[in-house]
Amino acid sequence: MEVLGQGFALPLEELSIAQETTQLYSQWLFEPQLRPLAFREAAGTSDEQVLYQTMFHHYSLLFQVPIGVLIQRHIELCKKVLTVLTMAGRQLGNTFSEQTWEVLLKVILGITDSLLREQLTKPSKVLMPEHTKMSDDLCEHLLRVLFELWLRSNIRQVHMWDIFKKCFNGWTHRIPVLHQWAASSLGLCQRVVRLLYGPGQGTDVVNLAVGGYNIGLDLQADFVLYAWHRVIYLLRSPSKLSPINCLAAVNGIGRMSGTTCKPTSPDGNTIMHMFGAWLFEISSFPTPDASHAYHEAQASAFGVLCRIFSKPQPSSRPFLRIYTERFYEALSIGLRSETSLPTILAHSTELFTSELEGVRMMVPDFVIGIRMAMSGQIRVSTGYMSQEKQQQILEDLHLAALKVAGCIMCLPNHFEKVELKDGWNVGLLKSADIAENKAGREDKEILSQLLKYYILEMLLNCLETETSSFNLRYLLHLIEVYVFEDVAFCPGLVGVVVKTIQEKIVTVQVPVEVALCAFDVLVGCAGLYEYVRRDSKSCARELVLALCRYVDALLSNHTLLSTTYPLVVRAYECMMQWILAGQWIVGDQDCHLAVISSISNGVHIVERVEEHEASVVPPKPQQEKRRWGTG
C-alpha cells in the first residue's frame, strides 16, 4: 500500500496513475470481496481499521497543489475523492472505530485548512494561480463534506472541536464558509426545536441545505444538542468579518432566531443569551463612511432584534432589563439612520402590541423615524431593479410606517404628563426647530402637545403625497381614528381634516376605491358637526358646495357613468349627511340653489347608466369568435 499511496503524489503528467489508484481504493472500500486475501481475512479486526486509516491518509496526498496545465483534470479527480470519502462516512461509518473517525476527520480538516485558509504571503512572493483556482473550485465541496462527516461522526472530543474552531476562523474571509456555517447551524437549530418542543415544531432530521445541495442526517438526540452549541460558536464574532461576510452571518442568525421565535419556542431571553452580544455589536457599528454591505448588515441586525423583541413573552419570564435597555439604546440610533430605518419599521409593526416593558418611551423616536420615512428622506437601494419594483419597495416602507403610526398615535393622550427627554427631537430637521422654539416659549412642553402635533402633521402631509391606493385607504382610516380620538382636545381638528380630504378627492384624480373610502370618512365626520361649528363655521358649506361641483363634473361625462356611478351615489349621501348635521343651510340661498341643481342633474342617473350599458355591445368570448369564423 505504501507503493500505491505514492501514486497520489506524482506530477500532473502521471495523473492517470492517481486515477487508477483512486478507483482501486474505492473498490476496496465498498466491495470487500475484491480486496486482497490478507485484507479480507482482517475484516472486523483492528487491522481493517488500519486499512481504512491508511487509505484516508493516502487520499490526502492528492490535494497537494500541483503545477501544470492539467490542473482542471486534477481538480475533478479531487472532487471524486471527496465523494468517495463522503460515501465512506455514510456507508461504512457505523463500522469505523473512534480512532478511524478521528483520522478521517483530521484528513478532511487538514485538506480544507491547507486550501481555504487565508494565505499571508510576503510582498515579494506571489500566490500560485493553481492554488487560487484549486481553492476556489473545491471550496464549497470541501465544506459540504467536512460538515456532513463531522456531524455523522458523533464526535465529542473537546480537542477536536477546538482544532476545528481554530481552523474555521481562518477561512471566514470566504463567503461560502459563512453560508455553510449558517446552513449547518440552522439545520441543527430546527432539530433542537423539535426535540425540545414537540412534533409541531422544527424537523425530525438535521437538514444541511446550501447551494442547491440538501442532505438529511438522522443523529442521536444528545449529540444534536451538543453539536448545536458547538457549531454555532465556531464563529467568534460576525462584527470582525468583511462587510459581505458579516451580512451573510447576520442573515444566518436571523433565520435561526426565526426558527426559535415561535409561540411554544424558547423565551426571548434564551435567544438573546445566544445571539444578543453579536447583534448589539453589529447594530452599534459606527457606519457614517462604512460600505454598503456594512449598512445592510447593521440593518439586518436591527431587523432580527425587532423580531425577537416583538415576540410576546410569558408574564413570568419578561425580557431581562439589560437586554431591553440595550435594545432601546440601539433603536434610538437606528431610527435616525436612513439605512436601518426601513428594516426597523418593517419589523416593528407588532412591537407596541407585545406589552414589552418600557416600549412606550420609544414613541418619540418612532415618530421621528416615521416622519423620515414618509417625507421622502429615505433613499431605498435599488440596484438594477425595475421602476415597478422600486415603487413597490417604497410603498411597502410607507405602509410599515403607517402601521407603526397606527399603534402609537393614540398614546400621547394617555401619557400627557410625561416630559420629553432632552434632545429627543434630533433628526426632525425643520420640525425639530419648531419644537425647540415652542419649548423655549412655553418652558417645557409635554409629550401630548408635541407628539400629537407631529403625528397629525405627518398624517395630513402623507395624504397629499401618497400615491398607493392601499396605503391611501389605510391612511384615511388612521386619520379618522385620530380625529375621533382627539376631537375633544382639539375641536378645530375636524375642520382641518375635512378640508384636506375635500381637496384630495375634488382636485386630484384618485382611484375609485380611495374616493369611496374618503367619503366614508367624511360621512363619519358629519357626526362631529357640533365640534366643527365652534371653530370652522364655513366648513360644512364649503364641503357641500365642493361636492355639488364634484357631482356635476361626474354627471357631465356620460361615457364614464357606469364607472363613476358609485362615486355619485356616495357623494350625494355625504352631501345629505352634512346638510342634515345642523341648521347652517337655512337662509343660505346660494347653497340651496347649488344643492337643488345638483340633485336635479342626478335624478335620472340610473336611467342614463342603463341606457349607456344597453348601448355598449359586450365583446364576444374568444371561443365563440373562432366558432363563428369557421361557420
Side-chain angles (χ1 to χ4, degrees), residues 156-180:
R156 301 174 192 241
Q157 286 90 335
V158 174
H159 74 277
M160 288 292 289
W161 281 98
D162 289 344
I163 294 172
F164 188 11
K165 182 173 183 176
K166 181 179 179 181
C167 293
F168 178 84
N169 283 279
W171 315 330
T172 51
H173 60 288
R174 297 177 179 272
I175 190 68
V177 173
L178 277 303
H179 291 158
Q180 183 66 53

mmCIF file of all heavy atoms in Angstrom, residues 156-180:
data_model
loop_
_atom_site.group_PDB
_atom_site.id
_atom_site.type_symbol
_atom_site.label_atom_id
_atom_site.label_comp_id
_atom_site.label_asym_id
_atom_site.label_seq_id
_atom_site.Cartn_x
_atom_site.Cartn_y
_atom_site.Cartn_z
ATOM 1 N N ARG A 156 -17.163 13.985 20.048
ATOM 2 C CA ARG A 156 -17.344 14.851 21.206
ATOM 3 C C ARG A 156 -16.022 15.239 21.853
ATOM 4 O O ARG A 156 -16.035 15.919 22.872
ATOM 5 C CB ARG A 156 -18.227 14.170 22.257
ATOM 6 C CG ARG A 156 -19.608 13.809 21.747
ATOM 7 C CD ARG A 156 -20.368 13.021 22.771
ATOM 8 N NE ARG A 156 -21.576 12.434 22.202
ATOM 9 C CZ ARG A 156 -22.798 12.695 22.608
ATOM 10 N NH1 ARG A 156 -23.002 13.537 23.591
ATOM 11 N NH2 ARG A 156 -23.831 12.103 22.047
ATOM 12 N N GLN A 157 -14.916 14.781 21.290
ATOM 13 C CA GLN A 157 -13.623 15.144 21.864
ATOM 14 C C GLN A 157 -13.434 16.652 21.809
ATOM 15 O O GLN A 157 -13.486 17.245 20.733
ATOM 16 C CB GLN A 157 -12.472 14.450 21.128
ATOM 17 C CG GLN A 157 -12.340 12.980 21.438
ATOM 18 C CD GLN A 157 -13.158 12.115 20.486
ATOM 19 O OE1 GLN A 157 -14.140 12.596 19.923
ATOM 20 N NE2 GLN A 157 -12.761 10.878 20.319
ATOM 21 N N VAL A 158 -13.212 17.245 22.953
ATOM 22 C CA VAL A 158 -13.095 18.704 23.035
ATOM 23 C C VAL A 158 -11.921 19.201 22.199
ATOM 24 O O VAL A 158 -12.026 20.231 21.517
ATOM 25 C CB VAL A 158 -12.935 19.138 24.511
ATOM 26 C CG1 VAL A 158 -12.666 20.632 24.594
ATOM 27 C CG2 VAL A 158 -14.180 18.772 25.309
ATOM 28 N N HIS A 159 -10.810 18.461 22.219
ATOM 29 C CA HIS A 159 -9.636 18.946 21.489
ATOM 30 C C HIS A 159 -9.904 18.977 19.983
ATOM 31 O O HIS A 159 -9.394 19.846 19.271
ATOM 32 C CB HIS A 159 -8.412 18.083 21.800
ATOM 33 C CG HIS A 159 -8.425 16.732 21.148
ATOM 34 N ND1 HIS A 159 -9.109 15.656 21.686
ATOM 35 C CD2 HIS A 159 -7.832 16.274 20.009
ATOM 36 C CE1 HIS A 159 -8.937 14.597 20.915
ATOM 37 N NE2 HIS A 159 -8.163 14.946 19.886
ATOM 38 N N MET A 160 -10.743 18.046 19.476
ATOM 39 C CA MET A 160 -11.074 18.060 18.047
ATOM 40 C C MET A 160 -11.941 19.259 17.691
ATOM 41 O O MET A 160 -11.728 19.926 16.668
ATOM 42 C CB MET A 160 -11.788 16.756 17.674
ATOM 43 C CG MET A 160 -10.892 15.528 17.659
ATOM 44 S SD MET A 160 -9.681 15.582 16.315
ATOM 45 C CE MET A 160 -10.744 15.339 14.888
ATOM 46 N N TRP A 161 -12.910 19.545 18.528
ATOM 47 C CA TRP A 161 -13.750 20.724 18.274
ATOM 48 C C TRP A 161 -12.935 22.007 18.376
ATOM 49 O O TRP A 161 -13.163 22.959 17.611
ATOM 50 C CB TRP A 161 -14.913 20.758 19.267
ATOM 51 C CG TRP A 161 -16.037 19.834 18.902
ATOM 52 C CD1 TRP A 161 -16.264 18.595 19.396
ATOM 53 C CD2 TRP A 161 -17.082 20.089 17.949
ATOM 54 N NE1 TRP A 161 -17.384 18.048 18.820
ATOM 55 C CE2 TRP A 161 -17.909 18.946 17.925
ATOM 56 C CE3 TRP A 161 -17.394 21.153 17.122
ATOM 57 C CZ2 TRP A 161 -19.030 18.836 17.100
ATOM 58 C CZ3 TRP A 161 -18.518 21.062 16.299
ATOM 59 C CH2 TRP A 161 -19.324 19.920 16.296
ATOM 60 N N ASP A 162 -11.984 22.065 19.292
ATOM 61 C CA ASP A 162 -11.139 23.253 19.417
ATOM 62 C C ASP A 162 -10.271 23.446 18.177
ATOM 63 O O ASP A 162 -10.079 24.581 17.704
ATOM 64 C CB ASP A 162 -10.256 23.141 20.663
ATOM 65 C CG ASP A 162 -11.041 23.274 21.956
ATOM 66 O OD1 ASP A 162 -12.200 23.756 21.890
ATOM 67 O OD2 ASP A 162 -10.514 22.897 23.014
ATOM 68 N N ILE A 163 -9.742 22.337 17.635
ATOM 69 C CA ILE A 163 -8.955 22.435 16.399
ATOM 70 C C ILE A 163 -9.839 22.915 15.253
ATOM 71 O O ILE A 163 -9.451 23.772 14.452
ATOM 72 C CB ILE A 163 -8.320 21.066 16.068
ATOM 73 C CG1 ILE A 163 -7.296 20.675 17.126
ATOM 74 C CG2 ILE A 163 -7.663 21.108 14.691
ATOM 75 C CD1 ILE A 163 -6.775 19.266 16.971
ATOM 76 N N PHE A 164 -11.035 22.340 15.185
ATOM 77 C CA PHE A 164 -11.987 22.739 14.143
ATOM 78 C C PHE A 164 -12.273 24.240 14.222
ATOM 79 O O PHE A 164 -12.253 24.952 13.213
ATOM 80 C CB PHE A 164 -13.259 21.920 14.307
ATOM 81 C CG PHE A 164 -14.261 22.079 13.186
ATOM 82 C CD1 PHE A 164 -13.944 22.716 11.997
ATOM 83 C CD2 PHE A 164 -15.548 21.578 13.332
ATOM 84 C CE1 PHE A 164 -14.878 22.840 10.970
ATOM 85 C CE2 PHE A 164 -16.484 21.704 12.320
ATOM 86 C CZ PHE A 164 -16.147 22.342 11.147
ATOM 87 N N LYS A 165 -12.536 24.737 15.413
ATOM 88 C CA LYS A 165 -12.853 26.152 15.584
ATOM 89 C C LYS A 165 -11.683 27.042 15.174
ATOM 90 O O LYS A 165 -11.867 28.070 14.498
ATOM 91 C CB LYS A 165 -13.240 26.425 17.037
ATOM 92 C CG LYS A 165 -13.629 27.875 17.310
ATOM 93 C CD LYS A 165 -14.171 28.048 18.722
ATOM 94 C CE LYS A 165 -14.617 29.483 18.953
ATOM 95 N NZ LYS A 165 -15.246 29.664 20.277
ATOM 96 N N LYS A 166 -10.479 26.651 15.573
ATOM 97 C CA LYS A 166 -9.301 27.448 15.219
ATOM 98 C C LYS A 166 -9.110 27.505 13.710
ATOM 99 O O LYS A 166 -8.856 28.572 13.145
ATOM 100 C CB LYS A 166 -8.065 26.858 15.894
ATOM 101 C CG LYS A 166 -6.785 27.635 15.610
ATOM 102 C CD LYS A 166 -5.597 27.018 16.328
ATOM 103 C CE LYS A 166 -4.310 27.797 16.021
ATOM 104 N NZ LYS A 166 -3.139 27.194 16.699
ATOM 105 N N CYS A 167 -9.241 26.358 13.058
ATOM 106 C CA CYS A 167 -9.102 26.332 11.597
ATOM 107 C C CYS A 167 -10.234 27.107 10.926
ATOM 108 O O CYS A 167 -10.013 27.883 9.992
ATOM 109 C CB CYS A 167 -9.099 24.888 11.105
ATOM 110 S SG CYS A 167 -7.665 23.921 11.603
ATOM 111 N N PHE A 168 -11.465 26.911 11.407
ATOM 112 C CA PHE A 168 -12.645 27.528 10.800
ATOM 113 C C PHE A 168 -12.499 29.048 10.716
ATOM 114 O O PHE A 168 -12.822 29.658 9.690
ATOM 115 C CB PHE A 168 -13.887 27.154 11.604
ATOM 116 C CG PHE A 168 -15.153 27.774 11.105
ATOM 117 C CD1 PHE A 168 -15.874 27.202 10.079
ATOM 118 C CD2 PHE A 168 -15.634 28.960 11.659
ATOM 119 C CE1 PHE A 168 -17.041 27.782 9.604
ATOM 120 C CE2 PHE A 168 -16.798 29.550 11.197
ATOM 121 C CZ PHE A 168 -17.497 28.953 10.175
ATOM 122 N N ASN A 169 -12.012 29.665 11.776
ATOM 123 C CA ASN A 169 -11.906 31.122 11.775
ATOM 124 C C ASN A 169 -10.782 31.633 10.886
ATOM 125 O O ASN A 169 -10.647 32.839 10.691
ATOM 126 C CB ASN A 169 -11.727 31.623 13.209
ATOM 127 C CG ASN A 169 -13.031 31.606 13.982
ATOM 128 O OD1 ASN A 169 -13.859 32.500 13.858
ATOM 129 N ND2 ASN A 169 -13.247 30.542 14.763
ATOM 130 N N GLY A 170 -9.986 30.716 10.333
ATOM 131 C CA GLY A 170 -9.014 31.100 9.318
ATOM 132 C C GLY A 170 -9.582 31.057 7.916
ATOM 133 O O GLY A 170 -8.903 31.444 6.960
ATOM 134 N N TRP A 171 -10.827 30.586 7.794
ATOM 135 C CA TRP A 171 -11.465 30.507 6.474
ATOM 136 C C TRP A 171 -12.558 31.549 6.269
ATOM 137 O O TRP A 171 -13.135 31.642 5.181
ATOM 138 C CB TRP A 171 -12.120 29.130 6.266
ATOM 139 C CG TRP A 171 -11.310 27.957 6.675
ATOM 140 C CD1 TRP A 171 -9.948 27.846 6.683
ATOM 141 C CD2 TRP A 171 -11.823 26.699 7.147
ATOM 142 N NE1 TRP A 171 -9.583 26.601 7.119
ATOM 143 C CE2 TRP A 171 -10.708 25.873 7.417
ATOM 144 C CE3 TRP A 171 -13.098 26.186 7.356
ATOM 145 C CZ2 TRP A 171 -10.834 24.571 7.891
ATOM 146 C CZ3 TRP A 171 -13.232 24.889 7.827
ATOM 147 C CH2 TRP A 171 -12.110 24.093 8.092
ATOM 148 N N THR A 172 -12.897 32.298 7.302
ATOM 149 C CA THR A 172 -14.103 33.133 7.248
ATOM 150 C C THR A 172 -13.982 34.336 6.317
ATOM 151 O O THR A 172 -14.926 35.118 6.209
ATOM 152 C CB THR A 172 -14.474 33.624 8.662
ATOM 153 O OG1 THR A 172 -13.317 34.224 9.274
ATOM 154 C CG2 THR A 172 -14.959 32.475 9.521
ATOM 155 N N HIS A 173 -12.844 34.471 5.638
ATOM 156 C CA HIS A 173 -12.763 35.506 4.607
ATOM 157 C C HIS A 173 -13.479 35.054 3.333
ATOM 158 O O HIS A 173 -13.650 35.839 2.398
ATOM 159 C CB HIS A 173 -11.298 35.820 4.282
ATOM 160 C CG HIS A 173 -10.528 34.642 3.779
ATOM 161 N ND1 HIS A 173 -10.152 33.609 4.600
ATOM 162 C CD2 HIS A 173 -10.065 34.318 2.544
ATOM 163 C CE1 HIS A 173 -9.483 32.696 3.903
ATOM 164 N NE2 HIS A 173 -9.417 33.106 2.646
ATOM 165 N N ARG A 174 -13.891 33.767 3.307
ATOM 166 C CA ARG A 174 -14.589 33.204 2.143
ATOM 167 C C ARG A 174 -16.092 33.156 2.425
ATOM 168 O O ARG A 174 -16.525 32.573 3.419
ATOM 169 C CB ARG A 174 -14.074 31.795 1.833
ATOM 170 C CG ARG A 174 -12.598 31.749 1.447
ATOM 171 C CD ARG A 174 -12.150 30.312 1.222
ATOM 172 N NE ARG A 174 -10.750 30.254 0.828
ATOM 173 C CZ ARG A 174 -10.319 30.340 -0.430
ATOM 174 N NH1 ARG A 174 -11.204 30.465 -1.417
ATOM 175 N NH2 ARG A 174 -9.034 30.283 -0.706
ATOM 176 N N ILE A 175 -16.882 33.699 1.524
ATOM 177 C CA ILE A 175 -18.325 33.770 1.737
ATOM 178 C C ILE A 175 -18.984 32.387 1.793
ATOM 179 O O ILE A 175 -19.912 32.175 2.591
ATOM 180 C CB ILE A 175 -19.003 34.653 0.652
ATOM 181 C CG1 ILE A 175 -20.473 34.931 1.012
ATOM 182 C CG2 ILE A 175 -18.870 34.068 -0.722
ATOM 183 C CD1 ILE A 175 -20.650 35.806 2.195
ATOM 184 N N PRO A 176 -18.538 31.362 1.010
ATOM 185 C CA PRO A 176 -19.179 30.046 1.147
ATOM 186 C C PRO A 176 -19.045 29.452 2.540
ATOM 187 O O PRO A 176 -19.889 28.655 2.963
ATOM 188 C CB PRO A 176 -18.441 29.184 0.100
ATOM 189 C CG PRO A 176 -17.914 30.153 -0.904
ATOM 190 C CD PRO A 176 -17.556 31.368 -0.106
ATOM 191 N N VAL A 177 -17.972 29.824 3.263
ATOM 192 C CA VAL A 177 -17.794 29.318 4.626
ATOM 193 C C VAL A 177 -18.931 29.805 5.510
ATOM 194 O O VAL A 177 -19.488 29.039 6.314
ATOM 195 C CB VAL A 177 -16.422 29.763 5.184
ATOM 196 C CG1 VAL A 177 -16.297 29.383 6.658
ATOM 197 C CG2 VAL A 177 -15.292 29.151 4.372
ATOM 198 N N LEU A 178 -19.316 31.075 5.370
ATOM 199 C CA LEU A 178 -20.417 31.616 6.175
ATOM 200 C C LEU A 178 -21.748 30.998 5.775
ATOM 201 O O LEU A 178 -22.611 30.741 6.622
ATOM 202 C CB LEU A 178 -20.482 33.145 6.019
ATOM 203 C CG LEU A 178 -19.537 33.966 6.896
ATOM 204 C CD1 LEU A 178 -19.765 33.660 8.383
ATOM 205 C CD2 LEU A 178 -18.087 33.759 6.549
ATOM 206 N N HIS A 179 -21.922 30.729 4.478
ATOM 207 C CA HIS A 179 -23.162 30.082 4.038
ATOM 208 C C HIS A 179 -23.277 28.669 4.605
ATOM 209 O O HIS A 179 -24.354 28.251 5.041
ATOM 210 C CB HIS A 179 -23.214 30.040 2.505
ATOM 211 C CG HIS A 179 -23.400 31.388 1.884
ATOM 212 N ND1 HIS A 179 -23.055 31.674 0.582
ATOM 213 C CD2 HIS A 179 -23.900 32.546 2.392
ATOM 214 C CE1 HIS A 179 -23.322 32.939 0.315
ATOM 215 N NE2 HIS A 179 -23.846 33.483 1.400
ATOM 216 N N GLN A 180 -22.160 27.926 4.586
ATOM 217 C CA GLN A 180 -22.184 26.570 5.124
ATOM 218 C C GLN A 180 -22.416 26.587 6.630
ATOM 219 O O GLN A 180 -23.175 25.770 7.169
ATOM 220 C CB GLN A 180 -20.861 25.868 4.810
ATOM 221 C CG GLN A 180 -20.802 24.421 5.254
ATOM 222 C CD GLN A 180 -21.760 23.526 4.498
ATOM 223 O OE1 GLN A 180 -21.752 23.512 3.260
ATOM 224 N NE2 GLN A 180 -22.607 22.788 5.212
#
